Amino acid sequence: SGLRPTKQRVKIAEFLFDREKTFHFTVEELDQLINCKIKEKISLATFYNTVHSFKKAGHLKEILTNNNKSFFDTHTGAHHHFFDLQNKKLIDIDENLIKIKEIPNAPKGKAIKDIDVVINIESDSH
């Protein structure tokens, strides 16, 4: 991806991508999950910079939730999400399970890149 493989980037990349399942996270969660396991702590700024570099390189997808919180996803292909409002967690939805009948034209000079559907969910005991 053209990114210099610093010790911190390699550690973050191993944590994110050396797994079988899709991983959803905020930068703050990533900071806590990695820094609790290592001696040489990584700064929050390094986490932000690395995550945004990985996103720019196409290795992560950013999902904005209803409260404008950025979550990141290691699954960059087309798919949608449930967002659990109580647990603040994203759950994948296969893209074929959502049918969109009409899409408006993009504003002049813009092109639609992709469509991300986020469905907010909560416990049905309310």
Side-chain angles (χ1 to χ4, degrees), residues 13 19 41 47 49 51 56 66 91-92 106 120:
R19 58 181 63 238
K41 302 299 182 212
F47 279 107
N49 292 335
V51 164
K56 191 174 180 184
N66 68 338
I91 303 159
D92 287 343
N120 296 311

Side-chain angles (χ1 to χ4, degrees), residues 15 19 21 23-24 27 31 58-59 75-76 78 80 91 126:
F15 185 85
R19 58 181 63 238
K21 287 186 152 189
F23 182 55
H24 302 108
V27 174
D31 173 13
H59 302 306
H75 176 12
T76 58
H80 308 291
I91 303 159
H126 286 107

Side-chain angles (χ1 to χ4, degrees), residues 30-93:
L30 188 64
D31 173 13
Q32 291 170 355
L33 289 167
I34 292 178
N35 273 332
C36 75
K37 295 179 180 176
I38 59 175
K39 284 183 183 163
E40 294 179 39
K41 302 299 182 212
I42 300 172
S43 75
L44 187 58
T46 299
F47 279 107
Y48 272 102
N49 292 335
T50 301
V51 164
H52 285 283
S53 295
F54 287 168
K55 178 188 147 198
K56 191 174 180 184
H59 302 306
L60 293 172
K61 185 176 191 173
E62 184 173 13
I63 296 106
L64 285 175
T65 59
N66 68 338
N67 58 354
N68 282 337
K69 185 127 178 103
S70 285
F71 280 77
F72 294 88
D73 191 345
T74 56
H75 176 12
T76 58
H79 68 289
H80 308 291
H81 294 93
F82 286 115
F83 180 66
D84 186 322
L85 295 166
Q86 278 100 4
N87 299 324
K88 307 287 187 245
K89 297 286 179 206
L90 286 172
I91 303 159
D92 287 343
I93 303 172

